[in-house]
Amino acid sequence: VGKGLEEGSSFTTMEYEAELESTLREAQAKVEAGEDASALLDEAQELVDQLKIEARTADAKKAVAAHAARVKELRERGALFGAAKKEASRPGSSVGRQRLTDARDKARASTSQIEKTKEMLDEIEDTGADIITELHRNRETIDKINGHVKETKGELDKADKMVTRMSKWWSRW
């Protein structure tokens, strides 16, 4: 998210969000290294809870929900890596090491896919905003045209009345 949860966000909200991003990066690095990141994830959850209180718009609430989902995903990945690491630490457990490696690879692939999806959603959101702007301009143009049509109709009605009066006057002779 990084831009502030919403236009006009308070400085405190932007600080919370910056701290959350930093904490999540650290936690992700620890999880991917197979280390315990539970303290960092607890801190991230507290920041998410604080941002939930601050979020006022639908977009801000969506951004907070995305952060909450990322915290949950990192917790799950940490638990998965933790279990695999325990098994791998058993003497002679190459199966455990392989599982840990496979889990790490899947987690990286998932993270990559999520980041690509987020980028795509950002592009779609930008395109939607452009479309809405263009539709607004088109509406203004149509409203102007309707005004011109009403003006022209009024002028034609006047002309029709004049022609009718003139033809009545002319038919008297």
Side-chain angles (χ1 to χ4, degrees), residues 1-21:
V1 176
K3 299 175 198 168
L5 291 175
E6 54 188 275
E7 296 274 331
S9 290
S10 70
F11 183 69
T12 306
T13 301
M14 289 189 286
E15 282 181 327
Y16 284 145
E17 190 173 11
E19 186 176 346
L20 176 60
E21 287 291 336

Side-chain angles (χ1 to χ4, degrees), residues 100-120:
L100 179 59
T101 303
D102 291 347
R104 198 174 286 155
D105 291 343
K106 280 184 180 180
R108 285 185 180 140
S110 294
T111 300
S112 175
Q113 185 63 37
I114 288 169
E115 288 170 357
K116 287 178 186 175
T117 302
K118 185 183 178 302
E119 288 173 12
M120 190 170 63

